[in-house]
Amino acid sequence: MVDDTGTARPTTAGGDAPAEYVRANREALVSLALDLLAVDTSNPPGDTREIVAAIERYLDPLPVEVERFAVDPAKPNLLVRVPGASDRTLLYNGHLDTVPFDADAWTRDPLGERADGRVYGRGATDMKGAVASLLFAIRAFAATDTEPPVDLLFAFVSDEEVGGDAGLPALLDAGALDADACVIGEPTCEEGRHSVTVADRGSIWLTLDAAGKAAHGSRPTLGVNAVDRLYDAVKRLRRRFGSERLDIEAEMEPIVEESIEYYAPSMGEATARDLFRYPSINLGVFEGGDAVNAVPQSARAELDVRLTAGVHTPDVLAGIRDCVADCEGITVADVSWSIGTAEDPDGPLVEAVASTATAVTGDRVFRRSATGGGDAKKLRNAGVSTVEFALGTDTLHAPDEYVPVDALVDNAAVYAQIPAAWRAETDR
């Protein structure tokens, strides 16, 4: 087989030849990344029709099966299937939408610019850069006549940045993602440290309403201040639950300790330890009152509680409800919750991704928990073993977001070699 440079490439099973192809054709990968960045997919509105069409054109010459799937015509998803040598299926997932940007805050072109060994643009690291690397891995398998050791399924989805239903949830609801394991190309790097994300945290999103009695601000004793009631309730919740050490399952301990080690350089060891050993409680919204000279008769607060995987969220929620019941004038107006999920840090998928990334980068790859939760949680709850991995930067969602060209190349090389490593691990 002859690649784009005219160099003869051997036909082989596995990932060595595709990885060599990636490195030999890095300029084509950079061009692909810039092409994806040139399409504005800010969400909202999250229109992905133009970028999906561009990806379809890119894949058209390749011997792969491409299917467009959309429940919202403006937010289509793309499924790409590459048949392999076994009936096991490895899924790769990447989202096509980005957060919005303020062009005036950028010194580089937010729709793509290359400079000083970097590719700049909104989505460069979250996560059009990784999408480009995934697409280039598909091209590398085809260009080298390499049959993957397992079936590969690629899902390029919409609506991720706003947690919408038109992307991954729609594919899961339709049963379109029949896979044994998944790698999501979310950035998993911070201040030069590499990681594979093997867990997420549970959550409780809580809305509290407070009722009081209105009165004139000059005679506050004749009223009941709903803001005071609500603030006292929030302080009570923080005292009761924020200082209560979590009961973490033994199998989560290695992930917790490695997560603390990973985050310690950026936030301090004590803060990192508290983040995973105790609930985090963030007061995100607090509203009440209409005028400075009036006693407010109503108030509302929204809290975000996060819990390490392995903690049973409904038990914590039950305690929160009991605590709120003891607060006069306070009611739980709305609540949504999730339970944290985790992979075995020594399991086949984690081992395959971490060992491959270590071999490619020459650096340590931490096996750690995310601080939040997203599509990985959805897939794990659907029975698909899932991790997140992409080399990148911690400039996601920031002005002048960028990804190093070397990271694009290394990501594509890792993605091309994971299937062989995963099959080897599952065959043990």
Side-chain angles (χ1 to χ4, degrees), residues 13-23 90 92 133-134 136-141 144 146-150 152 154 356 360 389 409-422:
D16 290 346
E20 292 171 7
Y21 176 89
V22 167
R23 298 196 183 286
L90 178 63
Y92 287 100
S133 296
L134 289 169
F136 210 72
I138 297 173
R139 178 176 177 178
F141 276 107
T144 58
T146 300
E147 181 183 43
V150 297
L152 302 180
F154 295 79
T356 301
V360 168
F389 172 79
V409 175
D410 285 348
N411 279 334
V414 171
Y415 296 148
Q417 294 178 88
I418 286 174
W422 180 60

Side-chain angles (χ1 to χ4, degrees), residues 217-299:
S218 65
R219 300 185 294 273
T221 55
L222 298 182
V224 177
N225 192 308
V227 168
D228 287 344
R229 278 184 164 179
L230 186 58
Y231 192 68
D232 288 344
V234 171
K235 287 196 297 182
R236 181 180 294 191
L237 282 171
R238 282 178 162 161
R239 284 196 306 268
R240 183 174 297 186
F241 295 98
S243 60
E244 184 175 331
R245 187 179 172 95
L246 295 170
D247 184 13
I248 296 172
E249 298 175 352
E251 54 264 34
M252 274 298 299
E253 284 294 337
I255 298 175
V256 168
E257 285 302 314
E258 195 144 344
S259 300
I260 293 169
E261 186 179 357
Y262 174 81
Y263 286 107
S266 62
M267 64 178 64
E269 183 176 350
T271 300
R273 191 168 297 279
D274 287 349
L275 188 66
F276 292 99
R277 294 293 181 189
Y278 296 87
S280 62
I281 303 176
N282 178 63
L283 177 59
V285 174
F286 196 101
E287 299 175 338
D290 298 313
V292 69
N293 61 342
V295 175
Q297 71 174 16
S298 65

Side-chain angles (χ1 to χ4, degrees), residues 52-71:
V52 164
I55 293 173
E56 287 172 330
R57 290 192 297 271
Y58 179 80
L59 294 172
D60 185 62
L62 305 182
V64 297
E65 179 184 342
V66 180
E67 176 188 0
R68 186 185 287 214
F69 181 99
V71 294

